[in-house]
Amino acid sequence: MYPPQLVAPMKAELTNAGFQDLTTAEEVDNFMQNTKGTALVVINSVCGCAAGAARPGVRAALAGSDVKPDHLATVFAGADLEATAKMREYTLPYPPSSPAVALFKDGELIHFVERHHIEGRSAQMIAEHLKMAFEEFCTEEA
């Protein structure tokens, strides 16, 4: 498990952008069961692709899109083990992946970006991909 002082700045990249930091299984269940509309959940990580592509890409997508998810949350793999394990139950049938980005509508998984879709891609590529997902799934017609 990573020490809190190591992950704090990595968590802050998302919490400072409006993400709710879920640290327990109970918080994850509460968020997932009581959140109506669309929710973007980032399974955060210490790896280079999280730092170079996932977190900056997610922030750029939110900053550059007129259409956004209604709710934002994050769990941190390797730090908040219980919360991450619980969130991964909601992202089944996909295997555990971190970093990863999940989009839910009324608690149902509707779009998932696995680590292998993040690795080797730029933050801008991740942002464009997410903006297209927001357009498709985060509108009233979706």
Side-chain angles (χ1 to χ4, degrees):
M1 193 154 126
Y2 298 110
Q5 63 272 22
L6 174 71
V7 301
M10 297 173 211
K11 283 184 170 208
E13 286 184 58
L14 294 177
T15 58
N16 290 345
F19 283 77
Q20 180 180 346
D21 186 24
L22 307 175
T23 61
T24 67
E26 182 179 49
E27 288 176 347
V28 169
D29 276 339
N30 187 47
F31 179 83
M32 294 303 296
Q33 294 168 10
N34 297 305
T35 300
K36 300 299 177 215
T38 54
L40 184 70
V41 176
V42 176
I43 299 175
N44 203 348
S45 171
V46 299
C47 72
C49 61
R55 291 189 302 266
V58 166
R59 290 191 328 267
L62 291 168
S65 182
D66 292 330
V67 180
K68 297 176 180 63
D70 300 315
H71 309 278
L72 307 171
T74 183
V75 297
F76 205 105
D80 300 317
L81 304 180
E82 177 187 318
T84 303
K86 180 54 74 174
M87 184 56 71
R88 286 179 171 153
E89 291 176 18
Y90 287 98
T91 62
L92 289 172
Y94 293 96
S97 179
S98 58
V101 182
L103 188 61
F104 296 90
K105 188 162 195 171
D106 296 329
E108 178 185 340
L109 183 64
I110 54 175
H111 189 76
F112 193 64
V113 182
E114 297 176 83
R115 179 188 176 110
H116 71 261
H117 292 122
I118 296 170
E119 285 180 304
R121 290 172 175 80
S122 69
Q124 187 58 40
M125 291 171 76
I126 301 301
E128 291 305 316
H129 175 100
L130 290 174
K131 286 165 46 176
M132 287 189 294
F134 298 166
E135 286 288 330
E136 181 176 351
F137 297 112
C138 298
T139 61
E140 290 299 318
E141 303 86 49

